[in-house]
Amino acid sequence: MRTLVLNAGFEPLAVVTFRRALALVLNGKATIVEIVEDDPVWGIGVRFDRPSVIVLTRYVKIPYGRLVPVTRRGVLRRDAHRCGYCGQAASTIDHVVPRSRGGEDSWENLVACCLRCNSVKGNRTPAEMGWRLGVTPRMPFGPSWAVRGLERTVPAWEQYLAPAVAA
């Protein structure tokens, strides 16, 4: 069970486990905004509502100049799990400029790729293959990328994430 954590100004901050969210609420560091209906947690003689969204009682300053770290999961998410060459479902990533030719592990050099295109391309550049990239690889930006742990959303979170996703 996951819980969305909002800053005191209601900006999305992170997604945490239910246990961490309950600890924040019980210690007075957060309040519950939304609960998961019909799924309480029982302690010894105590019933706790399972939080779906909580808001911190104090504002936490976040550095906005923070770079998004390059990860395989992040590249697939940025490219919507679609191959940068043929547009089919992608499960791997590919270096546009191969590492053996000086290509780096950077947002600008990595694209999501299907197994077929990755195997055919091998150690060549798209220009050598006569291929064109369907996307322009770049570092993702916006508040939705600053929310730690947000890979899939819950419908109850949409109203809190809408400004972040639209940016």
Side-chain angles (χ1 to χ4, degrees):
M1 207 39 128
R2 301 173 314 138
T3 302
L4 176 65
V5 179
L6 304 175
N7 211 343
F10 279 79
E11 308 93 24
L13 273 182
V15 176
V16 297
T17 63
F18 154 73
R19 290 177 66 169
R20 176 71 178 136
L22 194 57
L24 288 169
V25 170
L26 292 175
N27 288 324
K29 296 182 180 193
T31 56
I32 297 175
V33 176
E34 301 258 343
I35 61 170
V36 177
E37 296 293 328
D38 301 326
D39 195 14
V41 176
W42 292 92
I44 299 175
V46 180
R47 177 185 183 263
F48 297 106
D49 289 325
R50 195 177 290 265
S52 175
V53 180
I54 62 173
V55 62
L56 298 177
T57 55
R58 290 186 146 174
Y59 186 81
V60 175
K61 186 176 178 182
I62 13 176
Y64 282 102
R66 183 169 55 182
L67 296 176
V68 180
V70 179
T71 61
R72 177 183 178 278
R73 193 181 308 183
V75 171
L76 290 169
R77 180 178 159 207
R78 177 199 66 190
D79 296 344
H81 292 269
R82 293 281 158 215
C83 180
Y85 302 111
C86 69
Q88 298 296 318
S91 58
T92 65
I93 60 172
D94 179 59
H95 289 82
V96 178
V97 176
R99 289 195 316 194
S100 63
R101 298 186 182 190
E104 299 178 351
D105 290 334
S106 67
W107 286 109
E108 294 76 19
N109 192 45
L110 293 171
V111 293
C113 192
C114 67
L115 287 171
R116 182 184 160 280
C117 289
N118 208 344
S119 297
V120 170
K121 181 178 171 282
N123 194 28
R124 294 173 285 204
T125 65
E128 292 171 347
M129 297 291 299
W131 291 0
R132 290 180 33 142
L133 276 171
V135 295
T136 302
R138 62 181 180 151
M139 185 175 82
F141 61 93
S144 66
W145 285 91
V147 178
R148 291 184 350 201
L150 181 68
E151 277 142 26
R152 35 181 220 283
T153 63
V154 175
W157 299 354
E158 294 301 323
Q159 63 182 334
Y160 305 102
L161 296 173
V165 174

